[in-house]
Amino acid sequence: MSFAGRDFLKLLDFTPSELEGLLDLSAQLKEQKIKGILHDVKKGKNIALIFEKTSTRTRCSFEVAAYDLGMGVTYLDTIGSQIGAKESIADTARVLSGMYEGIGFRGYSQERVEELAEYASVPVWNGLTDKFHPTQVLADLLTIREHYGRIKGIRLVYMGDARFNMGNSLMVGCALMGMHYTACAPQKYFPDPELVARCSKIASQTGATITFCEDPAEAVAGADVIYTDVWVSMGEPETVWEERIRDLSPYRVTGELMEIAGQQAVFMHCLPSFHDLKTDIGMKIWERYGLTCMEVTDEVFESPRSLVFQQSENRMHTIKAIIYATVV
Ligand code: CP
Ligand code: NVA
């Protein structure tokens, strides 16, 4: 199994055993970090991060992971650099490849990160596009493995907009790892049929299942993981809020839904989350629509069944494994 020099653009580019290998490496690096064992084996090497969208977890994970590996980091956004306005992604890729040993990217289109990788001669890592969020799902798989002691056969239900980055990547991750994935939403939020067909084909080889359901109670009964994400993602216009609130409110993860799922069920969310009124957007939505929470209630978010902060910590350990394995 060799990862040296490879990109990390989407989970579909990896085999189940390669993903298992990255999870094993993540677990090993996590254990070393907890024990205070240094692993600054990439000293003298540097990475660049190009972020066209905002971030807390992903940016910090890349930075801390690189520092722990002994590397230097440069963070570039679209305002403080030439990217986009004055310089193409192809030119940027070649410039950065001359100075850095790896490039992290967060942006809008998947095509853009693929183009960056095509022109870069160093590994490129996808830190979220509209279509996929593969580093998040790697962390989620580690979290599930830590909690349940296994991944294969785990039943994961995704509640909400299943056509965007999180729904897509979770569906792919579940298909590859032999899990049972259900997307629960009104039909118009079901993912692209082409991606579903690709995942179903993978599922037929791994023992996974991919299903869709419009009824929350039916979908969650017996689930191991109830997963949700924000109803409006970064880059989407504010005008979609009204429709999303109307369509997706019945799919909010509530205490009642967790009860229907059963005692075994845990709650997961990639974060950030609108579970209370402590954010500017949360307050605006409350003023306009009278909602005190959106995709999940504060009760579920704060409950012992919520794995959200274990997931966010695992972002760093898994991104570290990706950098460790791919940087030459
Ligand atoms: N989950 C996640 O990607 O969070 P950030 O947007 O804060 O990076
Ligand atoms: N779907 C969300 C995920 C954030 C980590 C977004 O794209 O904004």
Side-chain angles (χ1 to χ4, degrees):
M1 200 181 298
S2 175
F3 295 100
R6 284 175 68 183
D7 302 313
F8 196 82
L9 304 177
K10 54 186 189 300
L11 297 174
L12 286 166
D13 299 334
F14 293 85
T15 64
S17 58
E18 284 175 338
L19 293 179
E20 287 278 5
L22 285 174
L23 293 175
D24 290 344
L25 180 59
S26 308
Q28 199 182 318
L29 292 166
K30 181 173 181 175
E31 198 186 330
Q32 286 178 4
K33 170 99 178 174
I34 290 165
K35 288 185 177 154
I37 301 168
L38 294 182
H39 37 242
D40 49 352
V41 293
K42 303 283 177 190
K43 252 189 211 153
K45 298 184 191 286
N46 301 288
I47 66 166
L49 302 175
I50 305 172
F51 276 43
E52 298 178 339
K53 288 175 175 173
T54 52
S55 168
T56 296
R57 277 147 292 273
T58 311
R59 176 183 174 175
C60 295
S61 296
F62 271 107
E63 294 206 10
V64 172
Y67 297 141
D68 282 357
L69 293 170
M71 307 172 93
V73 183
T74 304
Y75 176 82
L76 299 164
D77 60 24
T78 47
I79 298 163
S81 73
Q82 313 289 20
I83 299 160
K86 282 171 74 181
E87 194 154 37
S88 69
I89 208 77
D91 291 355
T92 305
R94 286 171 288 180
V95 169
L96 297 180
S97 295
M99 302 181 198
Y100 296 92
E101 277 75 27
I103 305 169
F105 176 87
R106 163 169 287 201
Y108 297 85
S109 78
Q110 180 70 17
E111 290 71 32
R112 208 162 153 79
V113 72
E114 307 260 356
E115 188 187 358
L116 182 68
E118 187 189 332
Y119 284 91
S121 56
V122 296
V124 171
W125 310 298
N126 178 3
L128 178 144
T129 62
D130 290 350
K131 190 163 182 187
F132 292 123
H133 197 4
T135 62
Q136 175 70 51
V137 171
L138 195 66
D140 297 339
L141 292 172
L142 181 65
T143 309
I144 290 168
R145 197 169 84 166
E146 287 172 344
H147 185 82
Y148 283 108
R150 68 193 166 97
I151 296 175
K152 200 172 164 65
I154 292 293
R155 292 156 296 176
L156 185 148
V157 179
Y158 179 82
M159 306 289 296
D161 184 357
R163 315 160 296 184
F164 218 73
N165 44 27
M166 281 312 305
N168 286 342
S169 283
L170 283 166
M171 180 170 68
V172 174
C174 289
L176 283 164
M177 303 314 283
M179 296 166 69
H180 303 295
Y181 176 80
T182 301
C184 182
Q187 200 169 359
K188 71 183 192 205
Y189 295 94
F190 290 171
D192 173 19
E194 242 177 71
L195 185 64
V196 175
R198 201 161 165 195
C199 288
S200 301
K201 198 170 164 208
I202 297 169
S204 67
Q205 291 153 7
T206 61
T209 54
I210 310 287
T211 52
F212 300 95
C213 182
E214 291 190 70
D215 179 53
E218 192 189 317
V220 302
D224 298 306
V225 178
I226 312 287
Y227 202 117
T228 192
D229 183 16
V230 290
W231 290 341
V232 177
S233 286
M234 286 183 281
E236 293 197 284
E238 255 196 61
T239 48
V240 301
W241 270 113
E242 196 173 325
E243 186 189 23
R244 296 289 164 81
I245 288 171
R246 195 183 52 236
D247 291 346
L248 297 175
S249 285
Y251 297 86
R252 173 179 299 121
V253 182
T254 61
E256 197 192 338
L257 203 70
M258 293 301 292
E259 282 317 303
I260 295 171
Q263 282 308 309
Q264 75 294 337
V266 292
F267 172 71
M268 293 179 72
H269 191 311
C270 55
L271 305 183
S273 162
F274 296 117
H275 59 95
D276 59 18
L277 297 179
K278 294 177 187 162
T279 63
D280 293 348
I281 293 175
M283 273 308 281
K284 260 196 218 161
I285 296 294
W286 179 69
E287 281 160 11
R288 207 171 300 163
Y289 303 99
L291 295 183
T292 54
C293 64
M294 284 186 258
E295 71 276 6
V296 57
T297 62
D298 195 46
E299 180 204 3
V300 171
F301 185 93
E302 296 291 354
S303 72
R305 297 165 79 177
S306 169
L307 304 186
V308 297
F309 297 112
Q310 190 178 335
Q311 283 174 266
S312 58
E313 183 193 322
N314 282 340
R315 295 299 310 284
M316 197 283 285
H317 304 299
T318 44
I319 282 177
K320 189 188 287 176
I322 294 167
I323 299 175
Y324 183 104
T326 57
V327 165
V328 184

